[in-house]
Each structure stands twice: as C-alpha cells, then as structure tokens.
Amino acid sequence: MKKNLTLVVSASITIGVLVTIMAIVTIMNLHRWVNDDQSEMVQNLAHTIAHAVEDELADIDYVLLVSADEIERQISARQDTYESVTTFLGRQQDRFSSIDLLRATNPQGETIYGRGVEPTEHASLAQRDYFRQLQENPNLGMVIAEPIIGKISQKWIWLMARRINNPDQSFAGLVYASIFVDDLSKSFAQFNLVSGGEIILRDRNMHVVAGTNFGAMPALPIGDNRVSEELQKALDQGSLHGTYNSASAAAEGVSRIHAYHRSAKYGFTVFVGIPQSHINSIWLKQSAIVALLLVAILIGLLLGTQLVSRRLADQLRLNLSEAREAERELLKTLIRFIPNLIWLKNAEGVYLACNREFEKFFGKSEAEIVGMTDYDFMSREQADFFRGHDRAAAAAGKPTVNEEWITYADDGHRALLRTTKTPMIAADGRPIGVLGIAHDITEMRNQEEALRESREALNRAQAVAHVGSWILDIAANRLEWSDESYRLFGLPPGTPMTIDGFFSCIHPDDRERVAAAWHATLGGAEYDIEHRILAAGVTRWVRERAIIERDADGKARRGLGTVQDITLRKQTEA
C-alpha cells in the first residue's frame, strides 16, 4: 500500500511539474505572440494613414500647380483681376473638399486673391519662411510649411504653397492652400485606438503637425520636436518604415510600441503607438486563463490533463483569431471607404475582395463579384487586357503602373485611371495573387490638356505678331528660344543655341555693334537695338529688347528678351 501511495505521489508530482513547465512555456510564447500581433497591427495602420495623407497632399499639389498656371496665364493676358482669379480659385477649392483655404498673393506677400479676402485689407505673408524660399528659388516645387496659426483664421493650419511667375519668369507671388490641423486630428480620432494610444503626424523636421491621444492624456503640442532616444536610433537607420519601443522617459511619460511610416515624396512621418501596458494587459488576461487552467490541472492531476491542455490550445487560438479578425475588420472598413478603386485577385484572376468604389465600376455588390473573374463582367478583349497587366505585375515581382480608360457600370460615366498592381508573394516566394489600386486622374489629365492648348495659343499669338521671346542662362551659356524666334532666324525649332550661335546669325556688318550693345547691357545699360540677321540666306531686320536679372551681388545671372521682325517697316522707310 505504502509503495502504491509513493508511486501515486511520485506520479502526481511528476505530472504537476510537467504541467507547470508546459504552462510557463506557453505563457512565455504567448507574450511574444501578442507583441508580434500588435506590432503588425500598428505597422499596417501607420502605412494606411501615411498613404491617405500622401494622397491628400498630392491632390493639393495638383490644385496649386493648376492654379499657379492659370494665374500666370491671366497675368500674361493682363486679365488678373480680383474677380477672375478669386472665381477660379473658388472653383478649384470646391472640387477638393479637403482644402479649407486656397488663396494667392502679390509679389509683396499680400494676400489679394481668394474667398474671404477683403480687397482693402491684405494679410502679409512676406515674413514667412516658405514665402522667402519660393521668392528666392524659382525651381522649387510645392513647399510644405511648418504648422502655423493662420493670420486670417487664427487657427492652426498646415500650409502648402507654389510660386507664381510673371511672363519674364520674375516672382509674381505665390498660391497657397491649407488644411486645418483640427481636421487631421479628427480624422485620426476615427480609428478609435485603445486608451493611451496615439497617432502623430510630424513634418520632415520632426515637428508635430497633428496628433490624437486616445485617453485622458493630452496629445503632444503642435510644433513639438522632441524625439526620444529610441526613435532617433530608428530614424538613423534610414528606413522609411519600422517599429520601435519608447521608454517611459518619452515626452508624456508613457511607454509604447510605435510604428512609423515616412513619405519619401513629401517627407512627413506618421507614428502610431499603443501603450505597452495594453499589450501587457492582453498578455496578463490570457496568461490568467492559462494559470487558472494550470490550477485546475494540478487539482485534478491525471483526471483532466489531456482535456485541459486541448482546451487551453483552443482558447489561445480563439483569442488570437478574434484579435486578427478585429484587425481585419478595421482595415476592411478603412479600405472600403477609400475613394480609390481597390481589389484583390488570386493567382488565377478570381476576385477575392473589393471596395465600394470598385462595386460602382462593375455595378455589382462585393458578394456578386467575389469568386468571379473579369471575363464574367466585360468583353473578352477588355478582360484579356486586364489579365495581361495582372500577369505582368506578377512576372515583374514588384508594383507596376499603367493608365487605362474604363466605363462605370452604375452610371455609365468614363474615367481615366492610373492603376498600380502589386504582386502578393507568399513566404516561400510563391505568387498568390495581385492587389490593384486605381486612382481617377481624369480631371488632372483634362487640366493638363487645357494647359497644353493655352501654351499653343501663346505660340500662335507670337507667330501672328512676328514677335519671338528668348531666355539666356548667362552662366551656363544656354539660350532658349520660342518657336517664333526660331522661325525668324530660319532655324528648326529645338536647335541648341548659345550666345555665340546667336551672334553667328547676325549680319557681319552689324555684329560688332550688337556685341557692344550687349556688353553695355551686362554693365547696366538698356538693351534695345535694331539690326540685321541672316535667316537661311535671307537678310531680315529685327528689333531686340531685353532685361537682365542679377543675383544678390549684382552679377548678371539671366537675360530675358524679345525679338520682333521689322523688315517690312525698314523696307517702307527705305
């Protein structure tokens, strides 16, 4: 009996030790699983938000470019009245609801165009850094300013601006658009992270642009550029995205796991963080379940060891499955309401998912689309076209971009799309499908065509007036002529020109006089001269006028001028 009791006790102790070891290993692995799962969630969310902000900035950049071109056109035509420019800016602002402000200044920095601008009361932007940058550098594209309090709205705004040029390429002011920082913060708040979580948008200099803190703790103040040691180490690696753990010594004293995604195009960075305490609480809750099961196993010994272990494994899988399902639902909701067309196909071209905008294209619900192919909804020719691009993306092993016209089935309207197809690759390198994202660029293309027609009209006007124009980069000795200038000199448009090439076209008897006049102009004299040229063997009379642009030291940097055919006048005078 005693021997049997010893065997029972020994067996019970052995089983208890083994079960305890098994529980400890499970709890340790559980911490890693939960941490990896939450890290992946914040990475995906940071990526999604960064692309949404980048798309919004791309829209604003496009609006500023179109607006600058139109104002330059009106300036050239001397039609730049307050009413005409403000009306155009208003139409652009109406097309893009995210823009809260779209205005333009004169060369002195005074805001004189745009809705809400009083013609007699002009707010000045002349002291703003972005104004001076655009004023001094004609080659800058869109400049994104640090968050400022608007002089008119008295609210925090994030402002983007582009330069406006006069016909002679001198500075004519700038056109700028802004979005309220509060609107960005409100959009972040819709993601409803756990208490203590945060979403922060920083500019290229790591100044806080907007942020939302989920909980009682206030968000970091706008303009704050404090960077934790852990974040600095992550940024020093040069990667555009990644994760890091912030210590409790962070700015607001909360330890978090962060994911960041930096825009290579615009320089901003999106940070998404959830408190380490939240991850630990998930782990502790799930660990408590393990511990309770361990107690039950120890109390029951051999009676329920196998059963409890199986229930434990099932519970773990259930918790992880629910967490992943919640993440998928969050991402699915976000993707569904993005205005771009988004869809996912498997390697055989069968649809696995799509968003609401894509449903409009086919005129079918997602439930009707999933499980079908392009051949079920469109002509074989068009289906072959789409399938060919799918295969090209899969073969390239990287995202491919193409443009295509489509017709929406829901209302019959046509749209030009810029489509990016990204191959989905399994861990073993096997292609498993293609993700497609299409952005409607119809309006942008229409604006580009209008701009092209406007430039052609200018060339035709020069041809009618027999007046050409030219720009000389003095340092580079590069001379740019308009089409009419080439015609007047009897040269094919696009022929490379230099100042020496220009003098070779001047009549030999006039070269010395023209050279003297040009050197005098470089010294500060007026350049207004009539002389003869040899155009394809024909002698013509022209009148040339020019101005010289100089740098801060007074050195001649660029010449801008016109050339007019006065042959008929000279013949009449003779």
Coordinates of all heavy atoms in Angstrom, one line a residue, residues 77-119:
A77 N -2.0 87.6 -69.9 CA -3.0 88.2 -70.7 C -3.6 89.5 -70.1 O -4.5 90.1 -70.6 CB -4.1 87.2 -70.9
R78 N -3.0 89.9 -69.0 CA -3.4 91.1 -68.3 C -4.9 91.1 -67.9 O -5.6 92.0 -68.0 CB -3.1 92.4 -69.1 CG -1.6 92.6 -69.3 CD -1.4 93.9 -70.1 NE 0.0 94.1 -70.3 CZ 0.6 95.2 -70.9 NH1 -0.2 96.2 -71.3 NH2 1.9 95.3 -71.0
Q79 N -5.3 89.9 -67.4 CA -6.7 89.6 -67.0 C -6.7 89.2 -65.6 O -7.7 88.7 -65.1 CB -7.3 88.5 -67.9 CG -7.4 88.8 -69.3 CD -7.8 87.6 -70.2 OE1 -7.9 86.5 -69.7 NE2 -8.1 87.9 -71.4
D80 N -5.7 89.5 -64.8 CA -5.6 89.0 -63.4 C -6.3 90.0 -62.5 O -5.7 90.6 -61.6 CB -4.1 88.8 -63.0 CG -3.3 90.1 -63.3 OD1 -3.5 90.7 -64.3 OD2 -2.4 90.3 -62.5
T81 N -7.6 90.1 -62.6 CA -8.4 90.9 -61.7 C -8.8 90.1 -60.5 O -8.7 88.8 -60.5 CB -9.7 91.3 -62.4 OG1 -10.5 90.2 -62.7 CG2 -9.4 92.1 -63.7
Y82 N -9.2 90.8 -59.4 CA -9.6 90.1 -58.2 C -10.7 89.1 -58.5 O -10.7 88.0 -58.0 CB -10.0 91.1 -57.2 CG -10.7 90.5 -56.0 CD1 -9.9 90.0 -54.9 CD2 -12.1 90.5 -55.9 CE1 -10.5 89.4 -53.8 CE2 -12.7 89.9 -54.7 CZ -11.9 89.4 -53.7 OH -12.5 88.8 -52.7
E83 N -11.7 89.6 -59.3 CA -12.8 88.7 -59.5 C -12.5 87.4 -60.3 O -12.9 86.3 -60.0 CB -13.9 89.5 -60.3 CG -14.6 90.6 -59.5 CD -13.7 91.8 -59.4 OE1 -12.7 91.9 -60.1 OE2 -14.0 92.7 -58.5
S84 N -11.7 87.6 -61.4 CA -11.4 86.4 -62.2 C -10.5 85.4 -61.5 O -10.8 84.2 -61.5 CB -10.7 86.9 -63.5 OG -9.5 87.5 -63.2
V85 N -9.5 85.9 -60.8 CA -8.6 84.9 -60.1 C -9.4 84.3 -58.9 O -9.3 83.1 -58.7 CB -7.3 85.6 -59.6 CG1 -6.5 84.7 -58.7 CG2 -6.5 86.2 -60.7
T86 N -10.1 85.1 -58.1 CA -10.8 84.5 -57.0 C -11.9 83.5 -57.5 O -12.1 82.5 -56.8 CB -11.5 85.6 -56.2 OG1 -10.5 86.5 -55.7 CG2 -12.3 85.1 -55.0
T87 N -12.5 83.8 -58.6 CA -13.5 82.8 -59.1 C -12.9 81.5 -59.5 O -13.4 80.4 -59.1 CB -14.2 83.4 -60.3 OG1 -14.9 84.6 -59.9 CG2 -15.2 82.4 -60.9
F88 N -11.7 81.6 -60.1 CA -11.0 80.3 -60.5 C -10.6 79.6 -59.2 O -10.8 78.4 -59.2 CB -9.8 80.7 -61.3 CG -9.0 79.5 -61.8 CD1 -9.4 78.7 -62.9 CD2 -7.9 79.0 -61.0 CE1 -8.7 77.6 -63.2 CE2 -7.2 77.9 -61.4 CZ -7.6 77.2 -62.5
L89 N -10.0 80.3 -58.3 CA -9.6 79.6 -57.0 C -10.8 79.0 -56.3 O -10.6 77.9 -55.7 CB -8.8 80.6 -56.1 CG -7.5 81.2 -56.6 CD1 -6.9 82.2 -55.7 CD2 -6.5 80.0 -56.9
G90 N -11.9 79.7 -56.4 CA -13.1 79.1 -55.7 C -13.5 77.8 -56.3 O -13.9 76.9 -55.6
R91 N -13.5 77.8 -57.7 CA -13.9 76.5 -58.4 C -12.9 75.4 -58.0 O -13.4 74.3 -57.7 CB -13.9 76.7 -59.9 CG -15.0 77.6 -60.4 CD -15.2 77.4 -61.9 NE -14.0 77.6 -62.7 CZ -13.7 78.8 -63.2 NH1 -14.5 79.9 -63.0 NH2 -12.6 79.0 -63.9
Q92 N -11.7 75.7 -57.9 CA -10.7 74.6 -57.5 C -11.0 74.2 -56.1 O -10.9 73.0 -55.8 CB -9.3 75.1 -57.7 CG -8.9 75.5 -59.1 CD -9.0 74.3 -60.0 OE1 -8.6 73.2 -59.8 NE2 -9.7 74.5 -61.2
Q93 N -11.2 75.1 -55.2 CA -11.5 74.8 -53.8 C -12.7 73.9 -53.7 O -12.8 73.0 -52.9 CB -11.6 76.0 -53.0 CG -11.7 75.8 -51.5 CD -11.6 77.1 -50.7 OE1 -11.3 78.1 -51.2 NE2 -11.9 77.0 -49.4
D94 N -13.7 74.2 -54.5 CA -15.0 73.4 -54.4 C -14.8 72.0 -54.9 O -15.5 71.1 -54.4 CB -16.1 74.1 -55.3 CG -16.6 75.4 -54.7 OD1 -16.4 75.6 -53.5 OD2 -17.1 76.2 -55.4
R95 N -13.8 71.8 -55.8 CA -13.6 70.4 -56.3 C -12.9 69.5 -55.3 O -13.0 68.3 -55.4 CB -12.7 70.5 -57.6 CG -13.5 71.1 -58.8 CD -12.7 70.9 -60.1 NE -13.3 71.5 -61.2 CZ -12.9 72.7 -61.8 NH1 -11.9 73.3 -61.3 NH2 -13.6 73.2 -62.8
F96 N -12.2 70.1 -54.4 CA -11.4 69.4 -53.4 C -11.9 69.8 -52.0 O -11.4 70.8 -51.5 CB -9.9 69.6 -53.6 CG -9.4 69.1 -54.9 CD1 -9.5 69.9 -56.1 CD2 -8.9 67.8 -55.1 CE1 -9.0 69.4 -57.3 CE2 -8.5 67.3 -56.3 CZ -8.6 68.1 -57.4
S97 N -12.8 69.0 -51.4 CA -13.4 69.4 -50.1 C -12.4 69.4 -49.0 O -12.6 70.1 -48.0 CB -14.5 68.4 -49.8 OG -14.0 67.1 -49.7
S98 N -11.3 68.7 -49.1 CA -10.3 68.7 -48.0 C -9.6 70.1 -47.9 O -9.0 70.3 -46.8 CB -9.3 67.6 -48.2 OG -8.6 67.8 -49.4
I99 N -9.6 70.9 -48.9 CA -8.9 72.2 -48.8 C -9.8 73.2 -48.1 O -10.9 73.5 -48.6 CB -8.5 72.7 -50.2 CG1 -7.5 71.7 -50.9 CG2 -7.9 74.0 -50.2 CD1 -7.2 72.1 -52.3
D100 N -9.3 73.8 -47.0 CA -10.0 74.7 -46.3 C -9.8 76.2 -46.8 O -10.6 77.0 -46.6 CB -9.7 74.7 -44.8 CG -10.1 73.3 -44.2 OD1 -11.3 73.0 -44.1 OD2 -9.2 72.6 -43.8
L101 N -8.6 76.3 -47.4 CA -8.3 77.7 -47.9 C -7.5 77.6 -49.1 O -6.6 76.8 -49.2 CB -7.4 78.3 -46.8 CG -7.2 79.9 -46.8 CD1 -8.6 80.5 -46.5 CD2 -6.2 80.3 -45.8
L102 N -7.8 78.4 -50.1 CA -7.0 78.5 -51.4 C -6.9 79.9 -51.8 O -7.9 80.5 -52.2 CB -7.7 77.6 -52.5 CG -6.9 77.6 -53.8 CD1 -5.5 77.0 -53.6 CD2 -7.7 76.7 -54.8
R103 N -5.7 80.5 -51.7 CA -5.5 81.9 -51.9 C -4.2 82.2 -52.6 O -3.4 81.3 -52.8 CB -5.6 82.7 -50.6 CG -7.0 82.7 -50.0 CD -7.0 83.3 -48.6 NE -8.4 83.3 -48.1 CZ -8.7 83.7 -46.9 NH1 -7.7 84.1 -46.0 NH2 -9.9 83.7 -46.4
A104 N -4.0 83.5 -53.1 CA -2.8 83.8 -53.8 C -2.4 85.2 -53.3 O -3.2 86.0 -52.9 CB -3.0 83.8 -55.3
T105 N -1.1 85.5 -53.4 CA -0.5 86.8 -53.0 C 0.1 87.5 -54.2 O 0.2 87.0 -55.3 CB 0.6 86.6 -52.0 OG1 1.8 86.1 -52.7 CG2 0.2 85.6 -50.9
N106 N 0.4 88.8 -54.0 CA 1.1 89.6 -54.9 C 2.6 89.4 -54.6 O 3.0 88.7 -53.7 CB 0.7 91.0 -54.9 CG 0.9 91.7 -53.5 OD1 1.7 91.1 -52.7 ND2 0.3 92.8 -53.2
P107 N 3.5 90.0 -55.4 CA 5.0 89.8 -55.1 C 5.4 90.3 -53.8 O 6.4 89.9 -53.3 CB 5.6 90.6 -56.3 CG 4.6 90.7 -57.4 CD 3.3 90.8 -56.7
Q108 N 4.6 91.2 -53.2 CA 5.0 91.7 -51.8 C 4.5 90.8 -50.7 O 4.8 91.1 -49.5 CB 4.4 93.2 -51.6 CG 5.0 94.2 -52.5 CD 4.6 94.1 -54.0 OE1 3.4 93.9 -54.2 NE2 5.5 94.3 -54.9
G109 N 3.9 89.8 -51.0 CA 3.4 88.8 -50.0 C 2.0 89.1 -49.5 O 1.6 88.5 -48.5
E110 N 1.3 90.1 -50.0 CA 0.0 90.4 -49.6 C -1.0 89.5 -50.2 O -1.1 89.3 -51.4 CB -0.4 91.9 -49.9 CG 0.6 92.9 -49.2 CD 0.3 94.3 -49.7 OE1 -0.1 94.5 -50.9 OE2 0.6 95.2 -49.0
T111 N -1.9 88.9 -49.4 CA -2.9 88.0 -49.9 C -4.0 88.9 -50.5 O -4.7 89.7 -49.8 CB -3.5 87.2 -48.7 OG1 -2.5 86.4 -48.1 CG2 -4.6 86.3 -49.2
I112 N -4.2 88.7 -51.8 CA -5.1 89.6 -52.6 C -6.2 88.8 -53.3 O -7.1 89.4 -53.8 CB -4.4 90.5 -53.5 CG1 -3.6 89.7 -54.5 CG2 -3.4 91.5 -52.8 CD1 -2.9 90.5 -55.6
Y113 N -6.0 87.5 -53.4 CA -7.0 86.7 -54.2 C -7.5 85.5 -53.3 O -6.7 85.0 -52.5 CB -6.3 86.1 -55.4 CG -5.7 87.0 -56.4 CD1 -4.4 86.9 -56.8 CD2 -6.5 88.1 -57.0 CE1 -3.8 87.8 -57.7 CE2 -5.9 89.0 -57.9 CZ -4.6 88.8 -58.2 OH -4.1 89.7 -59.1
G114 N -8.7 85.2 -53.5 CA -9.3 84.0 -52.8 C -10.5 84.4 -52.0 O -10.7 85.6 -51.6
R115 N -11.3 83.4 -51.7 CA -12.5 83.6 -50.9 C -12.2 84.2 -49.5 O -11.2 83.7 -48.9 CB -13.3 82.3 -50.8 CG -13.9 81.9 -52.1 CD -14.6 80.6 -51.9 NE -15.3 80.1 -53.1 CZ -15.8 78.9 -53.3 NH1 -15.8 78.1 -52.3 NH2 -16.4 78.6 -54.4
G116 N -13.0 85.2 -49.1 CA -12.8 85.7 -47.8 C -11.7 86.8 -47.7 O -11.5 87.3 -46.6
V117 N -11.1 87.1 -48.8 CA -10.0 88.1 -48.8 C -10.7 89.5 -49.1 O -11.4 89.7 -50.1 CB -9.0 87.9 -49.9 CG1 -8.0 89.0 -50.0 CG2 -8.3 86.6 -49.6
E118 N -10.5 90.4 -48.2 CA -11.0 91.8 -48.3 C -10.1 92.5 -49.3 O -8.9 92.6 -49.0 CB -11.2 92.5 -47.0 CG -12.2 91.9 -46.1 CD -13.6 92.1 -46.7 OE1 -13.8 93.1 -47.5 OE2 -14.5 91.4 -46.3
P119 N -10.6 93.1 -50.4 CA -9.7 93.8 -51.3 C -8.9 94.9 -50.7 O -7.8 95.3 -51.1 CB -10.6 94.3 -52.4 CG -11.8 93.4 -52.3 CD -11.9 93.0 -50.9

